[in-house]
Amino acid sequence: MENHKKFDIIVIGAGPAGYSAAVRAAQLGSSVLLVERASPGGTCLNIGCVPTKFLWEATQLPLRLKKASWFGIEPEDKSLDSRLIFQKKTKNTELLAKSLQNLISGYNIELAFGNCAFLHEKLIEISMSDGTKKQVTADKVIIAAGSSPKSIPGMEIDHIKVIDSTDALLHSDVPGKMLVIGGGAIGIELGLIYSRLGSEITIVEKEPQILPNEDTEIAQELKKILTRQGLHINTGIDGIEPYAEGQDRILVAVGRKANISGLNLGAAKITYTTTGISVNEYLETTTPGIFAAGDVTGKWFLAYTAQAEGITAAENALGQKNTINYDFVPRVVFTDPPCASVGIPDNKLAEGSFVTGRFPFTANSRAFIEGERAGFVKITAEKSTGKILAGHIIGPHAEDMISILCVAMKAGLKIHDISREIFFHPSLAEALHCACEDVAGKCVDLPKKN
């Protein structure tokens, strides 16, 4: 790559936002340079969603084997080898990263490895991984530099005793006791995984409930389930010192922060704050022709919203005017069972403006067949119109079913519309139908209410 080589678009970062932006730009006929400082796939593929879910799935298998007795089957070996599981996790992650790199090259996207810094609006210097520096320019730039784990004052992360989520996915040794600071999705998922691997887990959260931004009823139910599974959960915590005593390891899982340091955004006259880069509805920064997508904007910190933003940013950089509706973004936590939500939690709606319906998985035939009877579906609708405002699921395959509600809500469907649909039987999705019927108090699969 020669100095000052010109491209139609330069994309900074090859995570879900970055690689998706690069591919869409290439599909639209642009010459694209994609710059990544580590490995294609970003946090999601390498040290986030994918490896976490691999570990979740691996540690879920012995539990499924134990449930085999429900079907009259008695398997012998239910043990876990944490080192082998982590080795398999790494191998599979590397295979996916290689596959992604092949996808990128298949679109004739030029891929460079290094750190980017703006010299001015359209001139970027890349400090290459081999120690050299190159300067490149482009008509348009998309910043998709991702995010990193947050830290907290007074709890210095040394990556040995005090670790972050990245460390938790790289360590294959299992501590006897581990304190998890943060009761959000990251802390709960990793805490559950390590609990299954043999750690005694204590989770502390400063807010009154775990999953602070989610529906209170779902959060309370999840706390009960996790407690039954052996995790210690403490909410409304002001100080962590008493909980830190006697712990073999401490995991700090208090969220993520945008990767803006080192980009030299001031040289490109880009407005930003400590939380992220400022963008308009078209994902364009304050500097015309420069866009930002994904975690670097400091908003959602979700791989799938990042991908949607990357695609939209690329399209808009090439002359389109597309926007994203964030009202119907699904939110999922991989617990046992998983929980998933879309829309506004009841505790954030005006009292008296809504009605709710619930359906427990204990009354669902498919859940009974699978031996998965914990949890319920909860549907919230506007009282005056029946419009679906929110859906919350804690139960088997919640991560799959939530997308049905997302599509329904985006289409503007009402409770009546779902109630009149015919769902396959026996299926878990029937619980969505029954919960919608229950909003009107007319679910034929629930006992008569007094």
Side-chain angles (χ1 to χ4, degrees), residues 250-267:
I250 298 172
L251 167 61
V252 179
V254 292
R256 301 185 65 82
K257 60 182 179 181
N259 287 335
I260 54 178
S261 177
L263 289 171
N264 198 26
L265 298 174

Side-chain angles (χ1 to χ4, degrees), residues 12 35 62 76 79 97 151 181 186 272 299 359 388:
I12 301 173
V35 187
E76 296 180 0
S79 61
S151 58
I181 303 173
I186 297 173
Y272 65 96
K299 295 178 181 177
F359 191 80
I388 302 174

Side-chain angles (χ1 to χ4, degrees), residues 93-282:
T93 300
E94 289 173 349
L95 287 172
L96 287 172
K98 184 177 180 180
S99 176
L100 177 57
Q101 195 161 335
N102 289 336
L103 173 72
I104 292 167
S105 63
Y107 279 97
N108 296 317
I109 296 167
E110 189 164 334
L111 179 62
F113 291 93
N115 291 293
C116 291
F118 283 93
L119 298 181
H120 60 68
E121 286 93 332
K122 301 298 171 63
L123 182 62
I124 293 172
E125 183 173 78
I126 307 173
S127 298
M128 307 288 284
S129 56
D130 63 5
T132 62
K133 291 187 177 182
K134 304 289 184 181
Q135 292 181 3
V136 291
T137 186
D139 295 326
K140 302 290 173 63
V141 178
I142 299 174
I143 306 171
S147 63
S148 303
K150 277 184 178 179
S151 58
I152 54 177
M155 189 60 66
E156 189 68 29
I157 295 174
D158 60 14
H159 306 290
I160 301 172
K161 171 72 181 264
V162 182
I163 64 173
D164 58 24
S165 59
T166 300
D167 300 319
L169 292 170
L170 298 177
H171 281 284
S172 61
D173 61 309
V174 179
K177 298 177 66 176
M178 185 163 76
L179 173 67
V180 179
I181 303 173
I186 297 173
I188 288 175
E189 288 186 356
L190 290 174
L192 179 60
I193 288 168
Y194 269 86
S195 174
R196 290 171 171 177
L197 290 172
S199 290
E200 181 183 336
I201 297 296
T202 299
I203 297 176
V204 294
E205 167 58 50
K206 68 176 182 178
E207 298 298 330
Q209 67 177 52
I210 56 173
L211 302 182
N213 297 320
E214 297 299 340
D215 181 77
T216 298
E217 193 173 352
I218 290 289
Q220 290 173 343
E221 181 69 13
L222 179 59
K223 183 178 180 180
K224 292 177 186 176
I225 290 172
L226 292 175
T227 300
R228 287 199 299 266
Q229 293 173 3
L231 285 77
H232 308 289
I233 299 176
N234 299 278
T235 55
I237 301 304
D238 292 328
I240 58 175
E241 287 80 6
Y243 299 94
E245 295 177 6
Q247 300 289 340
D248 298 316
R249 191 170 295 157
I250 298 172
L251 167 61
V252 179
V254 292
R256 301 185 65 82
K257 60 182 179 181
N259 287 335
I260 54 178
S261 177
L263 289 171
N264 198 26
L265 298 174
K269 301 175 183 177
I270 298 170
T271 298
Y272 65 96
T273 67
T274 54
T275 58
I277 296 174
S278 302
V279 294
N280 62 18
E281 62 180 322
Y282 303 111

